[in-house]
């Protein structure tokens, strides 16, 4: 195998595939020597399944379509808060909304 051509990639809402620090685009061919540097970076708060399809090349011909399904599991993100202050007059009920 000389290279891999990525036919489909994740949507922006799902995340990005990268080779090194460069984002992979649909139709892009990656040299076999660089395949070990491919990473997937999920979009913020994305969870679910998606598939990536590719074809391998020997430098002359392309293989049949290969598929990889990636599952990103949901996690319970810790709640966040921020400091705030309230001013009200004496003997006035303040309702937090």
């Amino acid at each position: 195998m000389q290279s891999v051509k990525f036919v489909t990639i994740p949507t922006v809402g799902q995340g990005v595939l990268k080779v090194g620090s460069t984002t992979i685009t649909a139709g892009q061919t990656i040299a076999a020597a660089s395949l070990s540097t491919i990473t997937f970076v999920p979009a913020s708060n994305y969870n679910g399944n998606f598939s990536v399809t590719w074809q391998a090349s020997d430098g002359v011909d392309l293989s049949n379509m290969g598929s990889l399904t990636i599952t990103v599991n949901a996690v319970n993100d810790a709640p966040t808060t921020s400091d705030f202050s309230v001013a009200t007059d004496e003997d006035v009920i303040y309702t937090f909304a």
Side-chain angles (χ1 to χ4, degrees):
M1 180 175 70
Q2 182 178 10
S3 62
V4 170
K5 177 182 176 183
F6 284 87
V7 180
T8 62
I9 58 170
T11 65
V12 173
Q14 295 167 325
V16 294
L17 281 177
K18 293 187 171 204
V19 59
S21 61
T22 304
T23 299
I24 297 173
T25 58
Q28 185 173 353
T29 299
I30 306 297
S34 297
L35 294 177
S36 65
T37 68
I38 293 176
T39 57
F40 171 68
V41 181
S44 180
N45 292 316
Y46 172 76
N47 61 78
N49 300 323
F50 66 90
S51 294
V52 174
T53 56
W54 74 89
Q55 293 177 289
S57 172
D58 62 3
V60 178
D61 294 317
L62 289 171
S63 70
N64 59 322
M65 199 79 65
S67 179
L68 167 69
T69 299
I70 297 175
T71 301
V72 178
N73 294 320
V75 296
N76 184 13
D77 297 328
T80 60
T81 187
S82 58
D83 295 336
F84 63 95
S85 61
V86 175
T88 186
D89 292 330
E90 183 179 321
D91 299 324
V92 174
I93 296 172
Y94 181 85
T95 302
F96 291 88

